[in-house]
Amino acid sequence: MAAGLHGTVGSFWRATAVSPGYPALGGTIETDTVIVGGGIVGLTAALRLAEEGRSVVLLEGLTIGGQVTGGSSAKITTQHRLVYRHLIDTLGVERARTYAEANATACARIRGWIVDNGLDCDLETKAAYTYATDPGQADEIAAEAGAARSLGLAAEVLNRAPLPFETGSALCFPDQAQFNPAAYLVGLSMTVTAMGVGLFERSRARTIEEGERWRVVTDDGEVHAQNIVVATNLPVKSPVGMANRTRPHSHPVLGFRLEDPALIDGMFITAGEPTRSFRMGRDGEGPVLLALGPRFATGQVGDVAALFAELEDWTRRHFPVAAPAWRWCNEDFDTADRVPLAGEPDPEGSPGFHVATGFNAWGISNGTAAAMMIADRIAGRESPWTSLFDPTRPVPEGFNPGGDSQSRVEGPDDIAAGSGGVFSRGDQEIAAFRSADGSLQAVSASCTHKGCTVTWNNADNTWDCPCHGSVFAADGRVLHGPARKPLPSVDL
């Protein structure tokens, strides 16, 4: 555990919703559609296609529920902070309305699938609140309420948020919902496998090749398919690059025991920065207050542990809680216009290849909507959301400027026990972690995606890429893409 940090490392959602266990892929399988990634996009697309009677194979690099969706704040809501006024001003009323309708449809379908399939995932109806921390934000709150209502969403302005501390005015969306996202994914996995979907865990896609059919190769098998859906948070492969069309960000997340869980009735987020987002959840021992924020650029902060300390301090000053019981980082990708990138990047040159990314921290509804749209297109149906989500729409030049390692040291002697550092040896960049017993574990510091130099995350004990958000374990194993290959070991 990083010095000064409290809590078990890991998402309590994941700890309370364990995958039933699926085999690794072996041999060769022919199918209509192969899906790479078992998060909310991948499993939603699998469900929609299975409902159509189509053959589907889904490959998950690690385990179901163990990745980004399983670490989210898990709000099933169309309230995405202050997004609708922005979309109307920048994209126009009709495209803003399409965004609202896509997310409202997705939220309704999530709730419907939970009920229809009897998924045990702690679904609760709650209001969602965005609240002002500065009196000057009152006009923004009012403008957002008006914008949301003009697009057909229910929204009201309150004098203050229903919280045990003073706030400014608040925007309230009633009749939203929350759930355990990892349990939802586990439930979806059991639903789709019962419908005939072939689901394989610990089956990372090592190569994706185009021929008469798409060919996805793992360590021990391969899948041939007419269609492919790359649903890996940021695509591990795409005929049109997505890496510079998006920008990675992360959040520290803490889970606290709260003396009186009734103090928090709803889902809350601040209107401005620094981000403070919170709601109640539940682990194996009882209610947990989930607190999230502030956001930071992945791999571009040299002391992530300080952000956790800041969040802990803020939460303990505003709620009657003790030290946190849980902590983790979660990652998402932003787009320039705050709308996801999803669909076929190159339908003429690479037909049947679909991607989904850039959910701007609202992946529960945006990811579900993107998956529904992709499944409709694979099934040969038009979707009213295709144009809005177009993954090849123009992006401002330099939207993702990348970054450099924030962990540079002169040499291995400058790396303290329990810490990591990056140093040069000739032309080679080396990333080394010193364990508590003083031994060093060294890997290449060059991200295997596009070669950027990684940063040590001193809260999660991971190597994080400051350019495109890949995350590696201390020993170099891939935890999150877009990288597909581990950081090679280095002999010191």
Side-chain angles (χ1 to χ4, degrees), residues 283-302:
D283 67 4
E285 297 182 23
V288 177
L289 169 64
L290 180 148
L292 177 152
R295 59 188 281 141
F296 63 95
T298 303
Q300 297 188 30
V301 172

Side-chain angles (χ1 to χ4, degrees), residues 73-82 84 107 111 124-131 141 144-145 148 153-158 160-163 169-178 264-271 276-279 362 365:
S73 59
K75 300 174 180 179
I76 309 171
T77 180
T78 54
Q79 187 193 85
H80 296 174
R81 221 168 184 183
L82 302 179
Y84 296 108
C107 289
R111 296 169 79 167
E124 297 178 281
T125 298
K126 297 287 182 182
Y129 301 88
T130 297
Y131 70 92
I141 294 287
E144 181 70 4
L153 300 173
E156 55 184 312
V157 177
L158 308 179
R160 63 182 302 275
L163 288 167
S169 61
L171 172 67
C172 175
F173 278 32
D175 194 32
Q176 308 297 291
Q178 62 185 31
I264 308 297
D265 187 14
M267 304 174 290
F268 300 85
I269 191 168
T270 52
R276 308 293 186 203
S277 175
F278 44 94
R279 52 156 288 198
W362 300 101
S365 58

Side-chain angles (χ1 to χ4, degrees), residues 86 126 149 167 173 197 284 295 405 412:
H86 169 79
K126 297 287 182 182
R149 287 195 293 264
T167 76
F173 278 32
V197 171
R295 59 188 281 141
S405 176

Side-chain angles (χ1 to χ4, degrees), residues 14-189:
R14 300 168 185 153
T16 54
V18 179
S19 168
Y22 298 100
L25 178 67
T28 300
I29 297 179
E30 299 281 345
T31 189
D32 177 71
T33 300
V34 59
I35 298 172
V36 181
I40 198 162
V41 175
L43 281 163
T44 300
L47 176 61
R48 291 280 285 185
L49 291 168
E51 289 175 337
E52 296 280 337
R54 292 177 172 265
S55 62
V56 179
V57 169
L58 186 149
L59 305 176
E60 165 54 45
L62 293 174
T63 58
I64 298 298
Q67 305 307 305
V68 172
T69 304
S72 74
S73 59
K75 300 174 180 179
I76 309 171
T77 180
T78 54
Q79 187 193 85
H80 296 174
R81 221 168 184 183
L82 302 179
V83 71
Y84 296 108
R85 180 75 265 164
H86 169 79
L87 293 180
I88 289 172
D89 290 345
T90 58
L91 301 182
V93 171
E94 289 310 311
R95 294 180 83 77
R97 180 173 289 112
T98 300
Y99 180 94
E101 290 173 350
N103 279 276
T105 302
C107 289
R109 287 309 306 134
I110 291 170
R111 296 169 79 167
W113 282 322
I114 292 170
V115 173
D116 294 346
N117 295 290
L119 306 185
D120 183 9
C121 57
D122 295 338
L123 178 67
E124 297 178 281
T125 298
K126 297 287 182 182
Y129 301 88
T130 297
Y131 70 92
T133 55
D134 182 325
Q137 294 169 333
D139 289 345
E140 296 178 61
I141 294 287
E144 181 70 4
R149 287 195 293 264
S150 76
L151 301 175
L153 300 173
E156 55 184 312
V157 177
L158 308 179
N159 291 331
R160 63 182 302 275
L163 288 167
F165 55 87
E166 288 302 315
T167 76
S169 61
L171 172 67
C172 175
F173 278 32
D175 194 32
Q176 308 297 291
Q178 62 185 31
F179 65 164
N180 177 327
Y184 176 66
L185 295 187
V186 169
L188 281 186
S189 75

Side-chain angles (χ1 to χ4, degrees), residues 413-480:
D413 290 345
D414 298 320
I415 302 173
S419 299
V422 172
F423 58 92
S424 300
R425 186 174 65 180
D427 295 333
Q428 187 178 30
E429 297 271 37
I430 298 172
F433 165 68
R434 189 180 296 279
S435 61
D437 65 8
S439 61
L440 280 174
Q441 185 170 43
V443 295
S444 168
S446 297
C447 178
T448 54
H449 175 232
K450 291 185 179 292
C452 293
T453 306
V454 296
T455 294
W456 177 249
N457 179 327
N458 63 347
D460 272 8
N461 285 358
T462 57
W463 295 110
D464 299 353
C465 176
C467 293
H468 307 118
S470 296
V471 178
F472 303 87
D475 63 6
R477 288 174 295 116
V478 177
L479 298 180
H480 299 309

